[in-house]
Amino acid sequence: MTTGLSQQYIMACAELHLPVNHFIEEVLRQAVQPEQYISALKICGNNRLLAVKRVTDEDFLAISRVLKQNSYITNLDLRFNNLTNTGAVNIARFLQDSCSIFHLNLMGNDIETDGAEQIAKALHRNDTLRSLRMTGNKVGNKGGMFFAAMLQINSTLEELDLGDCDLGIQCLIAFATVLKQNNSMRSINLNRPLFYVLQEDTSIHLALMLKVNNTLQEIHLSKHDMTDSGVERLCEALHENQTLKYLDLSCNKITRDGVKCLAELLKRNTTLEILDLTSNRMEDEGVIYLAKAIHSYNSRLKALAIVSNNITGQGLKALAAAIKLNQGLQYIYIWGNVLDEEASTAFSQLLLSGRLNTSSTDVRPYTVDGRVYLTELFHGLKKHYYWTPTYGIVDDPVCNSSLAIINDQTP
């Protein structure tokens, strides 16, 4: 088994008259777990432990031959390589065959609109792929439209990541329309679209979709230029939604008024488990609204991220008091706010009392000359979204608590 995959790759290169990529050969040689088959093959261009020669379009032809001979490999990670539209054609052909791949990660390659069209059309006839990550490929508005059309036909894809793909307004409206009928999608990432006008059309359409969709559990709407009016429309819809568990509204323009709507939602909504409000403008008044909802009404929320919201000790002290009484909230992230003495003391007491531990937050207390301060820990909801560490646990829940919560099947 140790030499099997690498030998098959070398033979495939010889048959295709391609030079051997020694990085791929080494990854295949190391891709072994004693006494059991591997299920994941990670040929990542940002690997820092090996001498990397990034995967090209031609390299994928040889990789696909290896995969066809080893159907037990169900997870293929090709992030941060040099795959272009030509490589997307090869990927599409591979997906159209009787493919055994369940998870495909193409993050950070050079696939554009034409390549997106090929992959999306291949998924019309593919009934095995469950997760596709296209993050960072500049497929544009037209490329996104091909994926939206695909969701009208494909009934097996459960997770689609099109964050940082330069999607446009028309594309987002198309996704909102399609997801009213699609019954297979569990998670969709529409982060950082490109808007050229200041309006809330997309928020309104997405709200209408969330009002009727009964399968979506996770939605990412970071960097949508969303204001309080857009949040208000989302909250109106989510009062009737009974499936969404993870709402990501980070890096928007949400102030205390929008957070007030979210707090009212938390008082009534019993399904939402993760709320990401990182890098907004809630300030003290906004977080006090959340604290009141957490204190007296909501026991279902498990993770809250309010990093970089210009919150001072007044707001954080109120939040700490709410957390002390709410045993359901497991993870809280506050770094980037005004961590003055009042805030530092409040969260230090939560940690010292055992209500929180350092693995469930992104701060740790220390004392200098009798005064308590907080230092940052590299913990969060999805710290390893774009990269993975060179050591430690893969998908460590301390750094990726959202994965731990979503994967937790306990009621």
Side-chain angles (χ1 to χ4, degrees), residues 168-373:
I169 291 177
Q170 298 91 340
C171 171
L172 293 180
I173 293 174
F175 273 110
T177 304
V178 169
L179 288 173
K180 290 179 181 179
Q181 305 294 329
N182 183 285
N183 292 318
S184 64
M185 289 297 296
R186 300 291 183 269
S187 170
I188 190 161
N189 188 321
L190 301 172
N191 286 348
R192 210 226 66 186
L194 295 183
F195 294 151
Y196 298 101
V197 291
L198 295 177
Q199 56 186 3
E200 295 281 6
D201 285 3
T202 56
S203 300
I204 294 169
H205 283 275
L206 289 166
L208 292 172
M209 178 272 293
L210 289 170
K211 189 174 183 178
V212 298
N213 182 284
N214 59 8
T215 56
L216 202 63
Q217 297 180 8
E218 181 175 342
I219 187 166
H220 296 266
L221 303 174
S222 179
K223 302 177 185 176
H224 271 237
D225 287 338
M226 191 180 299
T227 63
D228 295 334
S229 61
V231 173
E232 184 177 3
R233 296 301 297 269
L234 283 180
C235 289
E236 290 172 359
L238 288 173
H239 279 296
E240 301 183 36
N241 183 290
Q242 298 299 315
T243 56
L244 193 72
K245 295 182 179 180
Y246 187 170
L247 178 61
D248 178 3
L249 297 177
S250 59
C251 303
N252 280 292
K253 299 177 180 179
I254 304 169
T255 70
R256 61 183 184 183
D257 296 328
V259 176
K260 184 177 182 179
C261 295
L262 288 166
E264 291 299 317
L265 173 66
L266 290 176
K267 292 179 182 180
R268 298 178 177 88
N269 186 290
T270 58
T271 60
L272 202 62
E273 297 181 352
I274 305 172
L275 180 59
D276 190 351
L277 294 172
T278 298
S279 298
N280 279 285
R281 306 171 180 174
M282 72 172 69
E283 299 182 325
D284 286 337
E285 290 186 58
V287 78
I288 289 172
Y289 289 133
L290 290 177
K292 289 178 180 178
I294 293 168
H295 180 281
S296 304
Y297 300 95
N298 187 291
S299 61
R300 187 64 185 264
L301 193 70
K302 295 181 179 179
L304 175 65
I306 53 171
V307 174
S308 299
N309 268 273
N310 197 31
I311 304 168
T312 69
Q314 179 187 357
L316 291 172
K317 183 179 179 180
L319 181 61
I323 294 170
K324 185 177 181 180
L325 296 176
N326 184 317
Q327 298 299 313
L329 191 62
Q330 301 171 13
Y331 302 92
I332 176 72
Y333 304 106
I334 64 168
W335 185 258
N337 292 294
V338 183
L339 302 180
D340 53 22
E341 187 171 5
E342 194 173 16
S344 300
T345 301
F347 272 83
S348 174
Q349 290 173 353
L350 282 178
L351 289 161
L352 292 174
S353 69
R355 171 58 189 89
L356 288 179
N357 58 62
T358 53
S359 65
S360 61
T361 186
D362 58 348
V363 294
R364 181 173 61 193
Y366 67 99
T367 304
V368 175
D369 294 334
R371 178 182 168 181
V372 177
Y373 296 87

Side-chain angles (χ1 to χ4, degrees), residues 63-121:
I63 293 171
S64 65
R65 291 204 176 188
V66 174
L67 294 173
K68 288 176 182 178
Q69 298 176 57
N70 300 275
S71 59
Y72 55 83
I73 298 174
T74 58
N75 186 333
L76 179 61
D77 191 341
L78 293 170
R79 74 180 83 180
F80 298 113
N81 282 296
N82 292 332
L83 297 169
T84 67
N85 289 338
T86 303
V89 173
N90 299 332
I91 293 169
R93 289 173 182 164
F94 173 67
L95 291 173
Q96 285 176 344
D97 296 339
S98 41
C99 174
S100 61
I101 297 296
F102 294 161
H103 307 278
L104 178 59
N105 189 344
L106 298 173
M107 174 189 285
N109 281 280
D110 297 315
I111 300 170
E112 298 177 334
T113 302
D114 292 342
E117 179 181 8
Q118 295 297 321
I119 293 173
K121 288 183 175 179

